[in-house]
Amino acid sequence: MRPILLKGHERSLTYVNFNYEGDLLFTASKDNLPTVWNAENGERIGTYNGHQGAVWDMDCNKMSTRLLTASADATCKLWDVETGEELKSFPHRGPVRGVAWAEGGDEFATISDPFMENDALISIYSVPEKSNVDSYNLTPRLEIELPKENAIKGTNVVFLGLNTSLFVTFDDGSIRLYDVKTGAVMNSIQPHQKKINRVSFNKEKTLFITSSADFTAKLYDAIRLEHLKTYKTDRPVNDAVISPTKEHILLGGGQEAMSVTTTSGRAGKFETKFFHLVYEEEFGIVKGHFGPINAIAINPDGRSYASGAEDGYIRLHFFDKSYLDMEDPVPEGDLVEN
């Protein structure tokens, strides 16, 4: 496997993802510079300058024209992808932990942490692409408060069901579905007993996989919210993705960041693990990072993947022909005799 090492951030990575077409790679870190790269050769195209704190999350719209960034500086910013121009800044009452576009790109949602006397919030903003950005209202069209007495914070947010519901994960291991019109809770499940670090959906949004500090990643039916598979490891799982072309799961994590300086790369378990989606079996690892892997993304064409770690590096891996041509063996117990 041929990796390209990308060094464009001064601090640990928080987010990596490809755009819808797979030709751009977006990355964010605990520095304040969201960055875009050429996904074919690893060349840095540019940065989005304006944040004053760590950038926790990003989301590029389907047409790769507009980008959203969520930051610890208590703002969510809207950018022009091509020019890097900041189009609008949306102030929040606390650090913004997650952001997501709605289908169609005319609305977006954010999740923000509690700060001082302010509760944690889930917010939905209206930003029609055909309207002038000066007309955008900085006040959310809907706010859902998460009272401090509940002591939970949102970690990820995604629009589902053709923008009829908002899917939110929490640091207590739970998931809730909210009605986007009323803010009412439509459904809730408890996949984990510890924090859900990341959630990732397949392209059709029929499946999702959660990554948790409880050393597991879990695959769910996104329509019925039914648990399907569990992928067990010996480390906290920070991110996991579903391959678009194979029945494989890519999973990354490692020991707690505070312990990294006292641990070698071999002992810290900083590899990307490969699991079979159906059989839940680990069948491979890819080494290289010198700190916990915080974020993983796989190209929509299934031919490459990127990982970002606590060491401040992004590794862009291109799969060998042998992997791309590989056919998954059927376990002997599953063979049916005629």
Side-chain angles (χ1 to χ4, degrees):
M1 190 176 295
R2 177 172 59 92
I4 299 177
L5 199 61
L6 311 182
K7 179 59 175 173
H9 293 285
E10 297 298 324
R11 299 185 63 192
S12 55
L13 272 291
T14 58
Y15 174 93
V16 299
N17 209 357
F18 294 89
N19 66 340
Y20 187 79
E21 298 296 331
D23 58 337
L24 300 175
L25 175 67
F26 292 92
T27 62
S29 83
K30 291 179 183 176
D31 63 23
N32 54 11
L33 289 177
T35 303
V36 60
W37 313 76
N38 184 316
E40 287 296 317
N41 57 23
E43 178 184 351
R44 182 159 70 168
I45 298 172
T47 57
Y48 300 91
N49 305 311
H51 279 298
Q52 302 300 314
V55 178
W56 295 114
D57 200 14
M58 304 167 70
D59 197 18
C60 181
N61 68 348
K62 190 171 284 190
M63 301 304 292
S64 299
T65 56
R66 303 202 293 174
L67 176 71
L68 292 165
T69 54
S71 173
D73 65 8
T75 67
C76 174
K77 293 185 184 292
L78 175 65
W79 310 85
D80 183 297
V81 169
E82 185 176 1
T83 66
E85 178 189 359
E86 181 184 321
L87 301 176
K88 202 79 171 179
S89 183
F90 297 85
H92 287 62
R93 296 178 221 163
V96 188
R97 187 65 58 172
V99 64
W101 283 109
E103 290 292 331
D106 286 339
E107 288 191 329
F108 70 88
T110 62
I111 45 176
S112 55
D113 288 348
F115 184 70
M116 298 182 73
E117 73 277 3
N118 299 311
D119 290 335
L121 286 174
I122 302 167
S123 309
I124 299 179
Y125 294 83
S126 181
V127 288
E129 188 162 11
K130 294 182 180 179
S131 299
N132 190 302
V133 293
D134 293 332
S135 68
Y136 292 166
N137 194 337
L138 296 181
T139 303
R141 74 155 180 84
L142 177 69
E143 279 190 339
I144 305 168
E145 291 193 356
L146 302 170
K148 285 184 180 177
E149 53 266 26
N150 294 341
I152 62 169
K153 295 187 289 188
T155 55
N156 300 271
V157 60
V158 182
F159 279 90
L160 289 183
L162 297 176
N163 300 338
T164 59
S165 60
L166 206 56
F167 175 104
V168 184
T169 65
F170 292 92
D171 63 355
D172 66 346
S174 66
I175 295 175
R176 295 180 188 173
L177 279 182
Y178 292 89
D179 187 295
V180 299
K181 292 183 179 178
T182 67
V185 177
M186 301 165 60
N187 201 349
S188 65
I189 57 174
Q190 187 80 38
H192 300 276
Q193 297 306 312
K194 291 186 177 181
K195 178 182 177 181
I196 297 176
N197 291 313
R198 278 285 175 188
V199 65
S200 178
F201 285 76
N202 64 348
K203 197 169 187 177
E204 298 78 22
K205 287 190 175 179
T206 55
L207 297 172
F208 69 85
I209 186 166
T210 57
S211 309
S212 175
D214 67 5
F215 294 22
T216 67
K218 294 186 178 182
L219 186 71
Y220 274 77
D221 182 311
I223 309 301
R224 299 189 296 272
L225 297 183
E226 275 185 14
H227 175 232
L228 302 175
K229 302 290 178 181
T230 298
Y231 310 97
K232 298 178 181 179
T233 71
D234 55 356
R235 68 203 66 183
V237 183
N238 293 331
D239 206 352
V241 290
I242 304 167
S243 171
T245 55
K246 291 182 175 290
E247 291 186 339
H248 294 170
I249 299 293
L250 280 65
L251 178 153
Q255 67 177 89
E256 296 293 335
M258 67 183 72
S259 307
V260 168
T261 56
T262 62
T263 310
S264 69
R266 181 178 300 174
K269 303 170 182 176
F270 307 141
E271 314 94 356
T272 300
K273 286 177 169 283
F274 285 68
F275 283 81
H276 194 283
L277 182 146
V278 177
Y279 303 118
E280 304 171 318
E281 295 172 348
E282 180 186 336
F283 65 88
I285 61 171
V286 175
K287 299 181 180 180
H289 283 293
F290 291 93
I293 295 174
N294 294 332
I296 288 183
I298 190 165
N299 196 301
D301 66 10
R303 304 181 70 86
S304 62
Y305 84 94
S307 56
E310 197 73 20
D311 59 13
Y313 286 92
I314 304 120
R315 294 177 69 88
L316 180 59
H317 301 262
F318 295 88
F319 291 119
D320 295 334
K321 187 175 185 298
S322 58
Y323 172 82
L324 297 173
D325 294 342
M326 179 179 72
E327 293 185 7
D328 293 321
V330 178
E332 292 181 8
D334 289 3
L335 292 174
V336 178
E337 295 183 4
N338 293 327

